[in-house]
Amino acid sequence: MPTTPTESGRPAAATAPKALFWFIAAVLLAGFGGSLAFISASDIAPVHAALILWIALSYSVSGLVAWWHRPANRIGPLMVLTGGVTLASTLYWSDSAVLHTVGVALDVMVLVLIVHVFLAFPTGRLRGRFERLVLTIGYVAALGAQLVVMLPDGLGPQQRLAVAKQSE
């Protein structure tokens, strides 16, 4: 399917990812602002908050740079996803029960995504069965097991997936 060139002479399809890129950058910036708001409104240890935000910032910015320079390579979007999920996991610090539940559900997912980036580097693609098996187990454990642990109120009274409340 031929693409119509834009005024710059490049095909229109080549300019579409840049709009997506800037949208994602804006969403990540808003996420950093939200995380800073959670931190300032709660009693989170400053070192803990700084480490979480540093991980999110380093993965997000590195991923955006990699994605900008090599849009066909999958490592950039994977790194951006890792930074974004790290930011989303800070919802754990929210006073809202729904946001807190989302943060708790994504808490362990960050670790699996970091392993995914490590195994998929530098192309963003997994090379063999072993890597796929490790990540399949990791994703099932990170999301599936985390949700199962949340059901009997194992991760605090504020989360919404509990089917039973702890007696006081």
Side-chain angles (χ1 to χ4, degrees), residues 91-142:
L91 293 173
Y92 181 88
W93 300 328
S94 173
D95 291 332
S96 166
V98 173
L99 295 178
H100 178 80
T101 302
V102 170
V104 170
L106 294 175
D107 193 36
V108 182
M109 186 65 68
V110 174
L111 301 173
V112 179
L113 283 166
I114 290 171
V115 171
H116 192 159
V117 168
F118 177 76
L119 292 175
F121 188 82
T123 62
R125 296 176 189 270
L126 299 174
R127 288 174 282 287
R129 280 188 178 157
F130 178 72
E131 287 90 355
R132 286 183 180 86
L133 178 65
V134 166
L135 287 176
T136 300
I137 292 169
Y139 283 117
V140 167

Side-chain angles (χ1 to χ4, degrees), residues 10-11 18 33 49 104 111 116 137 146 148-150 166:
R10 292 193 296 184
K18 301 303 179 197
V104 170
L111 301 173
H116 192 159
I137 292 169
Q146 185 79 340
V148 168
V149 168
M150 291 169 67
Q166 292 178 354

Side-chain angles (χ1 to χ4, degrees), residues 8-112:
S8 67
R10 292 193 296 184
T15 59
K18 301 303 179 197
L20 177 64
F21 172 87
W22 287 111
F23 173 74
I24 291 173
V27 168
L28 288 171
L29 187 61
F32 278 105
S35 294
L36 289 173
F38 285 141
I39 292 166
S40 66
S42 62
D43 58 346
I44 305 301
V47 172
H48 183 195
L51 286 173
I52 296 294
L53 291 178
W54 178 253
I55 290 169
L57 181 68
S58 62
Y59 273 93
S60 299
V61 171
S62 299
L64 286 171
V65 169
W67 196 2
W68 181 270
H69 288 287
R70 296 182 185 258
N73 190 324
R74 293 182 178 180
I75 199 72
L78 182 59
M79 291 178 77
V80 170
L81 178 66
T82 303
V85 170
T86 303
L87 282 176
S89 73
T90 65
L91 293 173
Y92 181 88
W93 300 328
S94 173
D95 291 332
S96 166
V98 173
L99 295 178
H100 178 80
T101 302
V102 170
V104 170
L106 294 175
D107 193 36
V108 182
M109 186 65 68
V110 174
L111 301 173
V112 179

